[in-house]
Amino acid sequence: MKRIAIMGAGVAGHLAALYLRKRLPGVEVTLIGRPDRKRPIVGESTVELTTHFFKGIGLGSLLEEKHYHKYGLTYYLKLRNNPECRNYVVHEAPGVIRMPAYNLNRFSFDKDLRAIVADQQVQLIEADVAAVDLHEGEHTRHRLTLRSEAQTWQMDADWVVDATGRNRFMAKKLKLHKEPTYQRSTFWFRLRQFDRNILHSINTHKDKHHCFDPYYVTHHFYGKGYWIWLIPMRSEDGADMISIGITYRPDMINERIGTLEAFKERVMADHPVITELMASGEVIDQHAMYNYMYEANQYYSTDGWFLIGDAAFTFDPANSAGLAYVAQQIPQVAAMIEKDIQGTLTPAYVNCLESHIQAQLALQDTWSKWYEVMDDPFLMGWTLLFANMAYFHVVLPMYVSGDFLDGHQAQQFADLLPRYTRDLQPSPLPFACLLREVRRSNPGISPQMIPNLYSRTINFALYKADNQARPQYAASYFLRSALLRLRLMRMVRWSVAPRHLKLLARHSLGTLQDLGRATSLRLMPSLFYKYGEAPELLKSPFGSDGGFLDLARD
């Protein structure tokens, strides 16, 4: 029987083992690592894409029974940058969308995941990988040298999946390290037995509703060069517990934030409500990582090795995207292995999936530029609106349908998100010149300038795989983009100055172009597919309409 060897027994390795065991039932799956090894854990907040994958691989009951529902991302946009100001415009979900997300207690989630995988006929070898020979010598399979406390031995495998996290076994072996466009540093801790009512002590400008308790979200606060998360989670003993952390661009914040005191000093200047929350509870652990970002020059190979999770690249936790990357990489690895089994794996298909990863990293570059405007509630608020609109209308439908495994669709997505060098990185702002003109026209920021428009930007129709709906979702994106642009144009105090006339002409034309794109996609959905239908060698081996999650059930 053919064998997949997964190196690394963390969350990425276990998720890969569970999916590959179900997706490729005729292949032996071997997981190599030490599950009890202590490692810093983060990534408690999931998004709809991640939980769609989790539920597809059979983790739905675990999520429902042991973890909090997460009712979206909530953004706190402070109106004045001083400690005395406690006035925030709050953007939160306008209701419960049809695709759920969860805030995880990663400690209990990882433990339960290990038990689930153990019941799936996945061979677990509690050892370290000392060496990997890729098709070396006369043997046609990869040869792994394993080492435990008692012995050293060898094992052969047809495919090797590196999920060794920050140890980056294969990237180091093959000298694949690549510097990221921008660096990040982070500090986080968990807090118990705190007074959650402190979060209500600020003055909020937000839409009133009774759809959900606003505590059960992922809370985001912003400052110059940094953002802060607060993620409520279910503790095993029932006590309140919350993860609190800061991520920052070290080139914009000179001091290292690696202690509770340093964190408090930074946060007190902008968001004293968070330090008050800390003072009401008990800190149970803390972690820091400095300049932790990295990439690789290659992630997948026709020779049968693959890098996933932190073994491939690290990410900004903004938008809760960490496990979402893993949820895309694992099915991509399965697709390449399935094609290899069929004898149809080509460099062209692998390159298309590599380009999809590069598009994801291009988004990381864009988020890096957000840090430069995070202290401006107007610019940041509108940027987040457009980012979420693109996610719900383009990125999420592409995943649910499984089109990220189609070579033509993966390449088309990459064309939308090219990568740039740092000195050529474009502005992260939607309609940058228009937003800045609105800012100039309105020196004082009012809540009315930062409306919560999520009811008009979230795709509430999406809940299942539907390839025919994807062009309609894209049409809706362009229509909403045109309407949002018109709303911004109404905020400008226009004059007959040449600068204003040029700006008016540019954005009037842009509005007409977006309306034209929306109309064209409604009338001719085939225009959505830039490269047309993929040839057989570039198609997903799992079909369309979400076939990648049609898994074997034990």
Side-chain angles (χ1 to χ4, degrees):
M1 179 181 287
K2 291 185 178 295
R3 173 188 286 158
I4 303 168
I6 303 170
M7 304 186 302
V11 66
H14 275 83
L15 288 170
L18 184 57
Y19 180 80
L20 293 170
R21 169 70 183 84
K22 291 174 176 284
R23 181 68 264 183
L24 305 171
V27 178
E28 180 182 338
V29 178
T30 301
L31 182 62
I32 307 163
R34 300 178 185 271
D36 58 346
R37 179 166 287 156
K38 291 185 178 181
R39 50 180 67 85
I41 289 182
V42 73
E44 301 98 344
S45 176
T46 68
V47 292
E48 298 76 14
L49 187 155
T50 312
T51 54
H52 186 73
F53 176 71
F54 284 177
K55 292 198 171 189
I57 61 177
L59 301 180
S61 296
L62 174 63
L63 295 173
E64 292 287 347
E65 295 169 5
K66 293 194 175 182
H67 301 276
Y68 286 152
H69 268 270
K70 165 189 158 183
Y71 299 103
L73 305 175
T74 294
Y75 307 110
Y76 295 80
L77 305 166
K78 193 173 183 180
L79 289 174
R80 301 288 182 274
N81 291 321
N82 62 67
E84 290 73 29
C85 177
R86 297 176 75 91
N87 295 320
Y88 291 82
V89 171
V90 178
H91 287 184
E92 65 184 4
V96 179
I97 66 173
R98 300 171 83 177
M99 296 189 65
Y102 299 83
N103 283 336
L104 306 179
N105 178 335
R106 277 289 308 280
F107 290 85
S108 64
F109 177 82
D110 288 19
K111 181 175 67 175
D112 290 336
L113 176 63
R114 289 194 293 269
I116 290 169
V117 172
D119 290 337
Q120 292 295 320
Q121 298 179 347
V122 172
Q123 181 187 20
L124 173 62
I125 300 177
E126 296 193 28
D128 294 316
V129 178
V132 176
D133 295 327
L134 301 174
H135 298 299
E136 293 277 334
E138 296 182 357
H139 62 84
T140 59
R141 306 173 83 193
H142 304 308
R143 180 154 295 165
L144 290 77
T145 301
L146 310 183
R147 181 179 298 149
S148 67
E149 294 180 359
Q151 61 178 324
T152 298
W153 71 102
Q154 291 184 326
M155 182 188 78
D156 288 348
D158 299 273
W159 303 278
V160 174
V161 179
D162 186 355
T164 57
R166 299 182 66 81
N167 289 327
R168 307 183 70 205
F169 188 96
M170 293 297 292
K172 291 176 180 177
K173 171 183 172 62
L174 299 175
K175 297 180 171 55
L176 297 176
H177 175 79
K178 180 182 177 183
E179 287 296 319
T181 309
Y182 296 87
Q183 266 299 351
R184 300 291 195 289
S185 294
T186 187
F187 171 78
W188 73 97
F189 57 93
R190 289 185 301 158
L191 191 71
R192 281 174 51 89
Q193 298 179 330
F194 52 90
D195 182 2
R196 66 166 74 173
N197 291 319
I198 290 174
L199 286 173
H200 301 309
S201 67
I202 58 177
N203 302 317
T204 59
H205 302 271
K206 68 174 188 175
D207 296 335
K208 293 182 179 181
H209 67 82
H210 301 286
C211 295
F212 56 84
D213 186 328
Y215 171 72
Y216 296 101
V217 300
T218 298
H219 306 263
H220 296 70
F221 291 78
Y222 297 96
K224 184 68 172 180
Y226 74 87
W227 67 278
I228 294 168
W229 75 77
L230 285 77
I231 305 174
M233 63 182 69
R234 188 191 298 273
S235 66
E236 295 188 68
D237 63 4
D240 272 351
M241 186 162 65
I242 194 168
S243 169
I244 302 176
I246 183 171
T247 300
Y248 58 97
R249 262 180 52 180
D251 60 317
M252 297 183 66
I253 294 180
N254 293 326
E255 73 271 19
R256 284 191 171 191
I257 302 174
T259 64
L260 289 170
E261 291 69 27
F263 177 84
K264 289 177 184 177
E265 183 177 354
R266 167 58 56 176
V267 174
M268 177 64 76
D270 296 323
H271 306 292
V273 65
I274 297 176
T275 58
E276 293 164 9
L277 184 70
M278 292 172 61
S280 73
E282 171 194 359
V283 174
I284 58 174
D285 57 13
Q286 53 185 293
H287 304 279
M289 292 192 296
Y290 307 108
N291 296 325
Y292 69 83
M293 299 283 279
Y294 53 77
E295 299 178 17
N297 288 309
Q298 184 179 352
Y299 301 100
Y300 304 145
S301 171
T302 53
D303 292 331
W305 56 262
F306 315 96
L307 315 182
I308 66 170
D310 284 0
F313 58 86
T314 40
F315 48 85
D316 190 317
N319 296 323
S320 306
L323 288 174
Y325 293 129
V326 174
Q328 294 175 80
Q329 290 176 296
I330 292 172
Q332 288 179 335
V333 169
M336 288 181 282
I337 291 175
E338 177 65 29
K339 281 181 173 287
D340 202 12
I341 293 171
Q342 297 172 1
T344 60
L345 182 64
T346 64
Y349 184 72
V350 174
N351 289 340
C352 286
L353 299 192
E354 283 268 349
S355 71
H356 185 268
I357 290 183
Q358 291 301 321
Q360 302 288 344
L361 294 173
L363 284 174
Q364 292 276 348
D365 295 340
T366 299
W367 299 348
S368 300
K369 295 286 286 182
W370 286 2
Y371 286 77
E372 298 168 13
V373 298
M374 281 182 173
D375 61 331
D376 187 310
F378 173 73
L379 296 179
M380 192 63 193
W382 279 90
T383 297
L384 291 167
L385 279 174
F386 276 84
N388 280 285
M389 189 166 71
Y391 167 71
F392 280 102
H393 287 82
V394 180
V395 178
L396 186 55
M398 182 180 185
Y399 182 80
V400 172
S401 69
D403 280 348
F404 70 106
L405 300 175
D406 178 276
H408 274 186
Q409 287 293 293
Q411 187 59 57
Q412 181 173 330
F413 184 67
D415 292 347
L416 291 173
L417 295 167
R419 296 202 74 181
Y420 299 91
T421 59
R422 181 162 177 158
D423 57 327
L424 296 177
Q425 196 69 29
S427 170
L429 304 178
F431 317 139
C433 57
L434 180 58
L435 280 171
R436 295 195 182 281
E437 189 58 44
V438 173
R439 197 76 170 78
R440 280 190 290 265
S441 296
N442 302 271
I445 299 177
S446 66
Q448 292 72 32
M449 292 174 61
I450 321 170
N452 182 6
L453 299 177
Y454 280 88
S455 61
R456 305 184 190 182
T457 55
I458 290 179
N459 183 0
F460 285 93
L462 175 64
Y463 74 101
K464 65 177 183 178
D466 186 352
N467 285 76
Q468 293 183 349
R470 286 195 63 213
Q472 306 307 313
Y473 296 153
S476 178
Y477 172 84
F478 286 119
L479 175 60
R480 296 177 188 214
S481 177
L483 295 175
L484 291 176
R485 193 194 304 241
L486 287 171
R487 187 175 185 126
L488 283 168
M489 291 171 68
R490 288 197 297 270
M491 294 185 189
V492 176
R493 297 179 181 177
W494 297 103
S495 71
V496 293
R499 174 171 57 86
H500 274 190
L501 294 176
K502 182 178 179 181
L503 187 69
L504 180 62
R506 176 180 177 181
H507 285 282
S508 296
L509 177 60
T511 301
L512 292 174
Q513 288 174 332
D514 280 348
L515 291 173
R517 294 184 183 104
T519 302
S520 298
L521 288 171
R522 293 278 185 192
L523 297 176
M524 300 182 63
S526 62
L527 294 175
F528 177 76
Y529 300 99
K530 177 180 177 181
Y531 296 113
E533 183 178 355
E536 203 62 37
L537 290 177
L538 294 183
K539 286 183 178 179
S540 167
F542 308 134
S544 58
D545 280 337
F548 74 102
L549 287 178
D550 293 338
L551 305 178
R553 302 295 179 184
D554 296 322

